Amino acid sequence: QVQLAESGGGLVQAGGSLRLSCAASGRTFRSYGLGWFRQAPGKEREWVASITRTGDNTYYARSVKGRFTISRDNAKNTLFLQMNSLKPEDTAVYYCASQVTRPGEYDYWGQGTQVTVSS
């Protein structure tokens, strides 16, 4: 079992920045990969970024590449998403998720944090 809790969302103007955090507990943090997803009103949930267990490899959706950075601190059991140059279309509820059972499959999810970007 893994418990995930996001924080750091809020209201920001276009062009601004936010840093999301995801605190994890339960299974050994460094043993599984992690990802960020988002869901905007009326839209399906979409994958944003992911990171491997060690943090050596990161992957991004085309829509956020070059603006968002995913990272993790295995000593503090925390996942991060640094979001720069935010756009109104980044407005969504952001979720962190873990790949505990097997790589590529997300099995535990946080409750989400709202990010709103005003134009």
Side-chain angles (χ1 to χ4, degrees):
Q1 288 277 348
V2 171
Q3 294 78 43
L4 302 170
E6 304 92 339
S7 62
L11 174 64
V12 64
Q13 289 188 332
S17 298
L18 280 175
R19 189 192 197 200
L20 304 184
S21 299
C22 174
S25 60
R27 188 162 172 168
T28 303
F29 185 73
R30 64 181 181 273
S31 68
Y32 51 87
L34 291 155
W36 286 100
F37 290 76
R38 67 186 181 185
Q39 187 167 21
K43 295 187 177 181
E44 293 188 354
R45 183 175 61 197
E46 66 170 344
W47 169 74
V48 173
S50 57
I51 189 167
T52 53
R53 294 179 297 168
T54 61
D56 288 346
N57 295 294
T58 57
Y59 308 91
Y60 298 93
R62 186 174 299 180
S63 59
V64 306
K65 195 168 187 178
R67 300 188 298 122
F68 291 11
T69 302
I70 187 172
S71 62
R72 63 190 296 164
D73 186 336
N74 285 350
K76 296 183 178 180
N77 292 358
T78 306
L79 173 72
F80 302 100
L81 185 68
Q82 178 66 44
M83 306 186 294
N84 298 329
S85 302
L86 283 161
K87 305 175 181 180
E89 51 263 43
D90 294 318
T91 295
V93 178
Y94 283 71
Y95 300 89
C96 61
S98 61
Q99 302 173 7
V100 175
T101 305
R102 58 182 59 88
E105 292 189 14
Y106 292 93
D107 38 26
Y108 295 96
W109 297 79
Q111 82 289 349
T113 186
Q114 176 70 47
V115 171
T116 303
V117 184
S118 63
S119 57

